[in-house]
Amino acid sequence: MEKEDILAWLRTTDENELIKLWQMADQVRQQNVGQEVHLRGLIEISNICVRKCGYCGLNIENTAIGRYRMTEDEIVECAHEAASFGYGTVVMQAGEDHGIATEWMTGLIQRIKRETSLAVTLSLGERTDEEYQTWFAAGADRYLLRFETSNRTLYDRIHPPLAGQPSDRIALLRRLKQIGYETGSGVMIGIPGQTYDDLANDILMFRELDLDMIGVGPYIPHQATFLGNPELTTYADKTVQVPNSEEMTYKTIALSRLVCPRANIPSTTALATVNTESGRELGLSRGANIVMPNVTPRKYRALYEIYPSKACIDETASDCRSCMSRRILSIGRTIGTGRGDSPNRAKHRE
Ligand code: 5AD
Ligand code: FES
């Protein structure tokens, strides 16, 4: 698949053509990663963040939200709950919280690996090379770090660097792979100022990075951010600006599956937010093979407001578990067992 093909798919509005795209993605998913849907327990361990991202509600300048950091015991309890639900992985996600000290995190990873047989995925943002190495040595298996957009100018606009520290997530992703992590990334769809050409380049970048995991979702404006007023930054020309639509999200999921056939691809919470009724199922039917049920304690959920009206805010871990199982079984798929390691990585190990 070349860039022109990707662009043609991103621009098409022909319903019959799109049905073909969904079918191709579904077949390639079935042939390469099978019919199992793996469940990853998501623990949002801290909403504290030092960064000023123009899209994210957790940015340091948003003083309207209460901040929290879970204790080690709280997190380990969530990990045990995830294991008791049969999930094979926990994903520990946080803002860029420098209060999450290297040693503290190391101890936490070691404890989860000792007390459970879970795969451990980290999603803690841009940290030092030493931290990435130390946490891998402590037993962390996977790292998620979205590059958000491959357009460098747009990236710098929406993701201001910390003073004196240029931010190059693409370089970090290459490094994470080299250290030995199963590596995941992704982008937002419909960022104000994102063109069709940019999104096509993003999809090609997934292939270039040979990602093991690819997570994408629609950009959802948050009032407490500087992109929150999209009129200021969106291209008025609708033939240039990518819409942050549900359909564009399915197209991106489907095309990601076609360019990275063996990657693990989640049907994300952002998609469930724009279509509560059937977003998850449609994502799974158009290329995705993963869901990430939230296992964060209910009292913290509303505080992890990356974007408004996020799905699963009022639910408990157990609610999300039954919701996900029901949705997976309703489309004739099965619930994955085991850790659900990336078949893409297995290919490299052969
Ligand atoms: N809308 C949609 N997704 C968002 N993210 C952050 N802010 C938003 C938003 N307003 C995504 C980013 C980040 C991930 C954790 O959530 O891609 O990497
Ligand atoms: Fe949380 Fe459906 S997965 S409510």
Side-chain angles (χ1 to χ4, degrees), residues 289-319:
N289 70 319
I290 300 285
V291 289
M292 297 170 65
N294 202 317
V295 291
T296 310
R298 194 158 170 264
K299 64 177 172 184
Y300 297 127
R301 288 191 183 203
L303 299 175
Y304 204 81
E305 197 194 56
I306 299 178
Y307 46 80
S309 311
K310 193 165 149 241
C312 306
I313 287 284
D314 294 322
E315 280 73 16
T316 64
S318 162
D319 294 333

Side-chain angles (χ1 to χ4, degrees), residues 171-221:
L172 292 177
L173 286 161
R174 293 206 164 94
R175 183 63 193 135
L176 287 161
K177 284 196 76 157
Q178 206 176 46
I179 293 172
Y181 287 97
E182 259 184 45
T183 304
S185 191
V187 297
M188 290 176 289
I189 295 150
I191 306 166
Q194 183 185 44
T195 67
Y196 281 87
D197 202 64
D198 293 335
L199 185 54
N201 286 334
D202 294 346
I203 295 169
L204 290 171
M205 181 59 76
F206 297 160
R207 178 162 70 191
E208 188 187 325
L209 290 170
D210 189 23
L211 294 174
D212 304 307
M213 303 171 280
I214 302 168
V216 300
Y219 163 73
I220 302 169

Side-chain angles (χ1 to χ4, degrees), residues 56-71:
C56 180
L58 304 188
N59 77 82
I60 191 170
E61 286 169 334
N62 183 7
T63 49
I65 50 166
R67 302 284 174 165
Y68 72 91
R69 182 183 306 123
M70 290 172 66
T71 66

Side-chain angles (χ1 to χ4, degrees), residues 27-96:
Q27 266 172 23
V28 171
R29 187 268 312 150
Q30 176 66 33
Q31 284 158 5
N32 289 274
V33 295
Q35 62 150 359
E36 289 193 334
V37 177
H38 292 284
L39 291 90
R40 321 296 199 195
L42 176 65
I43 318 177
E44 295 154 334
I45 67 175
S46 160
N47 72 347
I48 299 169
C49 193
V50 297
R51 313 228 32 156
K52 299 180 180 173
C53 299
Y55 45 90
C56 180
L58 304 188
N59 77 82
I60 191 170
E61 286 169 334
N62 183 7
T63 49
I65 50 166
R67 302 284 174 165
Y68 72 91
R69 182 183 306 123
M70 290 172 66
T71 66
E72 177 178 316
D73 285 339
E74 283 177 317
I75 299 167
V76 172
E77 196 181 316
C78 287
H80 281 291
E81 187 171 29
S84 77
F85 287 165
Y87 303 168
T89 302
V90 277
V91 180
M92 290 187 274
Q93 188 178 80
E96 257 169 57

Side-chain angles (χ1 to χ4, degrees), residues 255-277:
L255 292 167
S256 302
R257 172 59 66 202
L258 299 181
V259 300
C260 298
R262 296 162 75 102
N264 279 329
I265 301 181
S267 187
T268 57
T269 306
L271 188 50
T273 300
V274 295
N275 179 352
T276 322
E277 190 60 39

Side-chain angles (χ1 to χ4, degrees), residues 3-15 17-18 21-22 194-200 203 235 237-243 245 247-248 251-252 255:
K3 184 159 167 189
E4 294 71 53
D5 307 314
I6 294 176
L7 272 171
W9 281 120
L10 293 176
R11 288 189 181 279
T12 191
T13 51
D14 183 325
E15 299 280 332
E17 284 296 302
L18 284 175
L21 178 62
W22 313 146
Q194 183 185 44
T195 67
Y196 281 87
D197 202 64
D198 293 335
L199 185 54
I203 295 169
Y235 288 107
D237 184 347
K238 295 293 168 230
T239 62
V240 176
Q241 170 68 47
V242 172
S245 67
E247 182 170 277
M248 194 58 68
K251 287 181 179 179
T252 310
L255 292 167

